[in-house]
Amino acid sequence: MTVLRIFFVMIFVISANSLFAQEGNKEVDSLIGSANSFIFKNPQKTIDIGKDILKKKNIDSPYKISSYILISNGYSGLNDYQKSIEFALKANELSEQTKDIANQIRTLGLIGNQYIRIEMRDEAWHYLDKADKLSQTVSLPGSKKYLIGNINLLKGFLYKRSLDCGYAIKHFNKAINEFKKDKDNGFAKANLGQAYNQKAYCYLKINKDSAQVSFENGLADARKNGAKSLECNALIGLSEIKSSRKDFDSSNEMLLSALPLSKEAQQIEMESRIYKLLAENFIELNDFENHQKYQKLFDSTQSKFALEDVKSVNELIQKRNEFKQKNFESEQRKYVVIIYVLLGILILSSVILSYFLVNKSKKINKNVKNKIS
């Protein structure tokens, strides 16, 4: 669950937090930059700044879209996915109205990503597929190519979660190709290492040579960009390959290099995994003292991780149920309004029809009387 959370934080922020700088409005540019900096440490502040920008007069559509995205990110930081998706949809609607293809792709990816975070995969597929199809109809400028990479990275992850690594690897390769087209783009660089690692873990059980190549690429990229959690993840993957080849000493070297990175990045799941692999390697080396040492550390961290994981799963279930309940109530209110409108139309139509029928009946009776007389 923790690794899953790391993955989405990176993709979510990078795919949504691009500044839409416009000449002549440095004040708004500064506000957007400030709002971005608060997303993790004070998401409510991000929401407040985004709403303040929307109150300004005569701001261009890209700024409005940017503000909606900021607000969406803020609500996501507060785990209010209903509100987050609501503002992401507003950003998408405005980008459609202004025919801003790049922001349409960006916002569709954001919406899809939010649905993934609450495990509503059918909805996630809908928006990611829509973004994917849209990206194939246009030629985005080089600085926006990473958006296509992000969509493919998310789709690859969904396929990987569905245990369909064949399709997952295809999408990871597409993502890598898009990210590599602009190596100087900070957004692309931030996600390239992630794509390599995700692809490598897909290959781990089916082709260890390919997995090793991808992990090594991910490791080099992570070290180049100072991404500690990605570096740790790649080292763990490479250590597993070494263990499978009975090279336990090399595997342990990698794991011991990864251990301080896991602690620095505060990734208890990775730390627990490292202890487990070290314990297994030392038993293979007949080093029972170190085996017991790391087995105890594994048991200790595993119990902490298990508690955190249960808590995370319970929170996820609660948030997903709250989201579905709010959606249901919203749909119910819509249906009630529609029913009342239809009843109103029916009653009005009945009154009008009765009026005409009564008038017509009076005219007929009058004509009959005139004929008789």
Side-chain angles (χ1 to χ4, degrees):
M1 200 69 185
T2 308
V3 171
L4 180 63
R5 192 155 49 242
I6 297 166
F7 177 79
F8 286 120
V9 164
M10 290 188 65
I11 295 301
F12 175 54
V13 173
I14 295 305
S15 65
N17 280 355
S18 179
L19 299 184
F20 300 88
Q22 303 285 315
E23 289 185 11
N25 207 331
K26 292 182 180 179
E27 179 194 357
V28 178
D29 291 335
S30 177
L31 285 171
I32 292 173
S34 175
N36 281 325
S37 69
F38 285 112
I39 282 174
F40 294 113
K41 57 186 180 183
N42 190 348
Q44 185 60 53
K45 184 73 172 174
T46 297
I47 294 168
D48 294 340
I49 294 173
K51 289 183 176 179
D52 285 342
I53 295 171
L54 289 173
K55 291 175 185 176
K56 292 183 176 294
K57 294 180 180 179
N58 302 321
I59 62 168
D60 294 334
S61 293
Y63 280 128
K64 290 181 181 178
I65 294 169
S66 179
S67 298
Y68 286 137
I69 290 173
L70 285 169
I71 296 168
S72 174
N73 276 336
Y75 278 120
S76 177
L78 295 174
N79 294 324
D80 188 340
Y81 297 108
Q82 175 80 18
K83 284 285 188 182
S84 179
I85 291 172
E86 177 187 328
F87 279 92
L89 286 167
K90 287 182 179 181
N92 180 251
E93 183 180 353
L94 184 53
S95 65
E96 285 183 350
Q97 290 172 3
T98 56
K99 301 189 187 306
D100 186 338
I101 302 297
N103 275 323
Q104 285 183 55
I105 295 170
R106 185 193 311 277
T107 52
L108 287 168
L110 174 57
I111 296 163
N113 183 57
Q114 296 300 69
Y115 276 119
I116 294 174
R117 295 184 74 181
I118 52 176
E119 291 289 333
M120 294 179 69
R121 296 189 196 178
D122 289 342
E123 290 81 358
W125 278 120
H126 170 75
Y127 286 100
L128 292 177
D129 281 340
K130 192 173 178 181
D132 197 10
K133 289 174 184 176
L134 184 60
S135 71
Q136 294 172 31
T137 65
V138 295
S139 178
L140 290 174
S143 62
K144 302 294 183 185
K145 292 286 187 184
Y146 76 93
L147 293 172
I148 300 173
N150 282 351
I151 298 301
N152 279 287
L153 184 48
L154 286 169
K155 290 188 78 172
F157 185 77
L158 269 178
Y159 276 119
K160 179 169 170 279
R161 294 269 287 170
S162 303
L163 303 179
D164 193 342
C165 267
Y167 279 106
I169 288 167
K170 288 180 182 178
H171 282 286
F172 290 140
N173 282 334
K174 286 181 182 179
I176 289 166
N177 290 335
E178 293 300 336
F179 292 146
K180 287 170 72 175
K181 285 179 181 177
D182 188 0
K183 293 182 179 179
D184 295 325
N185 187 305
F187 302 129
K189 283 194 288 189
N191 285 330
L192 181 58
Q194 185 69 264
Y196 278 131
N197 280 356
Q198 291 295 323
K199 174 184 171 182
Y201 275 108
C202 250
Y203 267 128
L204 200 54
K205 292 183 180 179
I206 55 178
N207 188 326
K208 286 187 170 54
D209 289 336
S210 295
Q212 181 174 341
V213 170
S214 196
F215 274 131
E216 287 171 349
N217 286 331
L219 180 62
D221 186 83
R223 284 174 171 169
K224 181 180 176 183
N225 295 300
K228 302 296 184 184
S229 59
L230 293 181
E231 182 181 353
C232 180
N233 211 3
L235 283 168
I236 292 172
L238 286 168
S239 77
E240 291 189 53
I241 293 171
K242 292 290 184 182
S243 293
S244 71
R245 293 169 177 167
K246 309 298 181 184
D247 189 353
F248 301 112
D249 288 321
S250 294
S251 176
N252 284 346
E253 269 184 51
M254 290 180 173
L255 291 169
L256 291 170
S257 296
L259 185 57
L261 295 173
S262 69
K263 292 180 178 180
E264 187 178 346
Q266 296 182 325
Q267 298 308 318
I268 192 170
E269 182 180 4
M270 289 185 186
E271 185 182 346
S272 179
R273 179 73 179 155
I274 290 167
Y275 291 141
K276 181 177 187 293
L277 293 171
L278 282 168
E280 290 173 352
N281 285 348
F282 279 117
I283 197 73
E284 293 289 343
L285 292 168
N286 295 318
D287 186 339
F288 298 106
E289 184 179 346
N290 274 316
H291 163 71
Q292 288 183 330
K293 171 186 173 181
Y294 288 108
Q295 185 64 42
K296 286 179 181 177
L297 286 167
F298 168 69
D299 292 339
S300 174
T301 54
Q302 183 64 15
S303 61
K304 291 178 186 176
F305 168 65
L307 287 172
E308 182 182 308
D309 201 37
V310 168
K311 183 181 176 184
S312 296
V313 170
N314 288 338
E315 286 176 354
L316 173 63
I317 292 170
Q318 182 182 350
K319 291 295 178 185
R320 184 172 59 191
N321 289 342
E322 286 174 2
F323 182 90
K324 288 183 176 181
Q325 181 63 28
K326 286 179 181 177
N327 267 358
F328 174 76
E329 290 172 0
S330 177
E331 289 299 315
Q332 287 292 96
R333 284 194 293 271
K334 286 180 185 177
Y335 287 133
V336 169
V337 170
I338 291 170
I339 288 169
Y340 277 124
V341 169
L342 290 174
L343 280 173
I345 292 171
L346 183 61
I347 292 168
L348 183 61
S349 299
S350 298
V351 169
I352 293 170
L353 183 60
S354 298
Y355 174 78
F356 280 114
L357 288 173
V358 168
N359 275 351
K360 190 172 182 181
S361 177
K362 286 179 179 179
K363 286 180 182 179
I364 292 171
N365 288 336
K366 188 177 180 181
N367 288 336
V368 170
K369 285 179 181 178
N370 287 336
K371 287 181 180 179
I372 292 171
S373 61

